Amino acid sequence: MFRNQYDQDMLTWSPQGRLHQVEYAMEAVKQGSTVVACGNQNCVVLAALKRKQSKLSSMQGKLFGVNERVGVAVSGLSTDSATLVKLLREESVREEFVFGRVASPSKLASLVSKSLQISTRESAGRPCGVGLVIVGSSEDTGCQILQTCPSGDVCQMWCTAIGARSQSARTHLEKHLDELKVATVNKVIHIALRALSESNVDSEELTSEACELATVESNLYVSKSPEEVQVYLDQL
Amino acid sequence: MFDAREDALAGARQHANWSPYDNNGGTVLAVAGESYVICAGDTRMSSGYNILTRKFEKIDKMSGKTLMASAGFAADAVTLKKTLKARCKQYEFQNKREIGCVAFAQMLSNTLYYRRFFPYYAFNIVAGLDAEGKGAVFTYDAVGSYERTNYSCQGSGQALIMPVLDNQLKTVSPLVLPAASSATPLSEQEAIDLIKDCFATAAERDIYTGDSVELWIMNAEGVRKEEMALRAD
């Protein structure tokens, strides 16, 4: 009932102790198309549904390589996400320059989280309407999945799905959680693609044109080509 | 301090008691062929009459088709390479492909001139394969003036080696008509042998060149390295 009074700007709390602008920004993430991430310490898979703005346009990319061991999937406002991906990539270049090492997923996630949180307590800007799923590997932790949201919260996940209709994907992943913990990369890919297809509109079949896939294993982030994606889809 | 003031009053010229630069010696060279390029450098790093290490690599791969070799002040050369490598990564993100050697050559020139009034004390050679797969060598001065050539030599042994390269590799001017290729007609193996000879010879008379020479050979198949021992004295 009082929601509209306290949601005009970033600097106003509601009497219930909520920042409505941040919550509204989180809704923007749910507008983006689905992203699925799952795996275990040895390998992680990122899968996403691509959308196009119109019949005449190209598909909007969802998966981006950040450095040789880390990749990120985005869901939400694509222009906001471009800024965050740029931030991650520039930080990776800086890490290489300053420390001579590959930036780890957790360091990158903390950095993004800091930037996201700042815009939740300043009136000059607005929160970024993007949810990120950062996947990668580092020497001390193996493979990791880290999820961020417009509030600046960072969560490490066993597996996750964000974006439109992602609840169906999450349910599918929860059912296969124990399997995922010991699966090899091909099995993880199959589970990820099945989870993704659960979130597809009217449970339509996935096509390699509309589906993007990437893996992290043996310390390498690799983006799959449409032909490779088709091979996995055929195996489903 | 008092002496310096008196000296200045007397008209004597002041000299700095510290220089930001050092010369770590060494020689680098590169030779371009029709379908290959070879970049070579000795591995000695010295300071004055001391050898700091016998295993210092002066050559690094900057992208799939580009090698960069530097002689002079090692700290500046290393930092220059680091800075450019970071820029190459940014280029890849922005252009969705690796940087080519001609673009890299221009970028190095700009980076050097940016520091026109406090230069990188590095004498550089860029070696790579151009868009047509032909060997390319670019040679620089410390502030970024550069030129594409077929062969070049920089560093302490430059004066000893360059005349030999001129004698063996100089071909027709690229401006002469009818157009003739001015790339070295030597085969890859002949060029490797020539380069090894040049270093062995320079090591005889140049005290800053020696220990070993590493050759990076880049062609359509990729990059491979060869190494040869030089005089260690």
Side-chain angles (χ1 to χ4, degrees):
Chain A
M1 179 174 124
F2 293 105
R3 200 155 120 129
N4 288 337
Q5 273 187 283
Y6 305 105
D7 66 357
Q8 296 302 297
D9 64 44
M10 203 59 252
L11 299 183
T12 309
W13 289 96
S14 81
Q16 288 77 33
R18 290 155 68 171
L19 292 166
H20 285 299
Q21 281 294 304
V22 178
E23 293 178 17
Y24 296 165
M26 310 249 240
E27 291 297 316
V29 178
K30 296 179 193 165
Q31 302 294 325
S33 66
T34 325
V35 166
V36 166
C38 55
N40 49 50
Q41 271 203 318
N42 300 322
C43 64
V44 168
V45 167
L46 261 183
L49 283 173
K50 292 197 276 189
R51 261 190 210 148
K52 47 169 133 182
Q53 279 191 314
S54 76
K55 281 213 175 105
L56 296 172
S57 72
S58 59
M59 288 286 191
Q60 188 81 270
K62 299 276 285 179
L63 268 41
F64 300 93
V66 166
N67 62 45
E68 62 194 47
R69 291 186 197 162
V70 175
V72 64
V74 304
S75 184
L77 259 53
S78 56
T79 42
D80 282 1
S81 67
T83 320
L84 295 178
V85 170
K86 190 156 181 273
L87 179 69
L88 291 171
R89 285 173 165 173
E90 281 172 4
E91 180 56 25
S92 293
V93 170
R94 197 183 152 273
E95 185 89 359
E96 183 71 46
F97 186 90
V98 175
F99 299 109
R101 68 186 180 205
V102 182
S104 69
S106 49
K107 177 159 187 176
L108 291 169
S110 305
L111 192 87
V112 160
S113 141
K114 185 172 158 195
S115 163
L116 290 169
Q117 195 275 343
I118 285 170
S119 36
T120 69
R121 55 181 166 79
E122 286 180 357
S123 65
R126 59 166 176 81
C128 264
V130 180
L132 294 177
V133 180
I134 298 170
V135 301
S137 73
S138 73
E139 260 123 34
D140 23 344
T141 60
C143 291
Q144 281 182 307
I145 300 173
L146 292 141
Q147 186 179 320
T148 71
C149 62
S151 62
D153 219 355
V154 181
C155 248
Q156 195 175 344
M157 314 289 281
W158 286 115
C159 53
T160 185
I162 59 172
R165 293 175 292 280
S166 54
Q167 186 53 57
S168 324
R170 274 196 294 278
T171 313
H172 184 92
L173 292 172
E174 279 167 29
K175 281 194 203 133
H176 293 268
L177 199 54
D178 290 331
E179 223 183 309
L180 280 168
K181 287 185 184 173
V182 295
T184 58
V185 72
N186 282 333
K187 187 84 198 134
V188 178
I189 290 177
H190 291 149
I191 295 174
L193 290 173
R194 285 232 164 78
L196 198 63
S197 65
E198 300 275 327
S199 298
N200 211 356
V201 179
D202 302 325
S203 296
E204 259 177 36
E205 267 204 33
L206 295 174
T207 64
S208 61
E209 196 212 355
C211 180
E212 219 172 332
L213 188 67
T215 60
V216 178
E217 51 167 340
S218 314
N219 275 334
L220 218 56
Y221 170 87
V222 174
S223 197
K224 301 290 184 196
S225 69
E227 294 77 30
E228 289 170 309
V229 174
Q230 190 59 53
V231 169
Y232 288 113
L233 290 176
D234 292 337
Q235 290 169 359
L236 283 183
Chain B
M1 196 176 75
F2 205 67
D3 293 320
R5 190 168 158 272
E6 282 190 343
D7 278 341
L9 284 171
R13 189 110 185 241
Q14 276 196 316
H15 282 113
N17 54 9
W18 177 82
S19 164
Y21 298 114
D22 189 13
N23 191 342
N24 299 117
T27 314
V28 292
L29 70 74
V31 172
E34 275 296 337
S35 58
Y36 67 85
V37 73
I38 303 169
C39 193
D42 76 319
T43 58
R44 173 173 288 175
M45 181 171 158
S46 43
S47 180
Y49 287 120
N50 302 307
I51 292 178
L52 298 176
T53 175
R54 300 188 190 275
K55 293 187 198 156
F56 183 71
E57 295 198 357
K58 297 187 178 71
I59 305 169
D60 206 353
K61 188 165 135 170
M62 307 307 283
S63 84
K65 298 269 186 277
T66 315
L67 301 169
M68 178 173 157
S70 316
F73 181 31
D76 272 357
V78 163
T79 306
L80 183 58
K81 288 195 175 77
K82 268 174 81 169
T83 312
L84 288 166
K85 266 198 176 151
R87 276 293 284 117
C88 286
K89 276 246 168 68
Q90 288 173 335
Y91 181 100
E92 273 184 48
F93 284 135
Q94 287 165 0
N95 297 280
K96 301 208 172 110
R97 62 175 177 81
E98 270 194 334
I99 190 169
C101 80
V102 176
F104 180 85
Q106 182 65 56
M107 188 166 77
L108 171 57
S109 169
N110 296 343
T111 308
L112 290 169
Y113 196 79
Y114 203 73
R115 290 272 297 260
R116 174 66 179 80
F117 300 111
F118 183 10
Y120 286 103
Y121 192 99
F123 299 98
N124 304 290
I125 297 180
V126 169
L129 298 173
D130 66 13
E132 294 155 20
K134 284 180 76 166
V137 169
F138 301 86
T139 187
Y140 295 76
D141 71 0
V143 284
S145 161
Y146 82 112
E147 182 192 21
R148 181 171 175 176
T149 59
N150 292 309
Y151 61 90
S152 177
C153 183
Q154 294 280 359
S156 59
Q158 179 184 23
L160 296 167
I161 296 180
M162 200 62 172
V164 177
L165 295 180
D166 283 333
N167 179 277
Q168 295 291 305
L169 299 176
K170 196 153 190 167
T171 57
V172 297
S173 162
L175 304 169
V176 154
L177 290 173
S181 168
S182 48
T184 311
L186 290 185
S187 74
E188 198 178 284
Q189 192 53 55
E190 286 172 324
I192 291 172
D193 292 337
L194 172 64
I195 290 170
K196 286 180 177 173
D197 265 341
C198 284
F199 272 94
T201 313
E204 293 289 318
R205 294 287 178 178
D206 176 23
I207 60 172
Y208 302 110
T209 301
D211 294 325
S212 78
V213 55
E214 51 166 12
L215 287 84
W216 294 52
I217 302 131
M218 180 182 272
N219 53 28
E221 284 147 36
V223 184
R224 72 173 201 281
K225 283 198 235 183
E226 281 189 33
E227 205 173 313
M228 184 185 84
L230 296 173
R231 290 184 69 131
D233 62 356

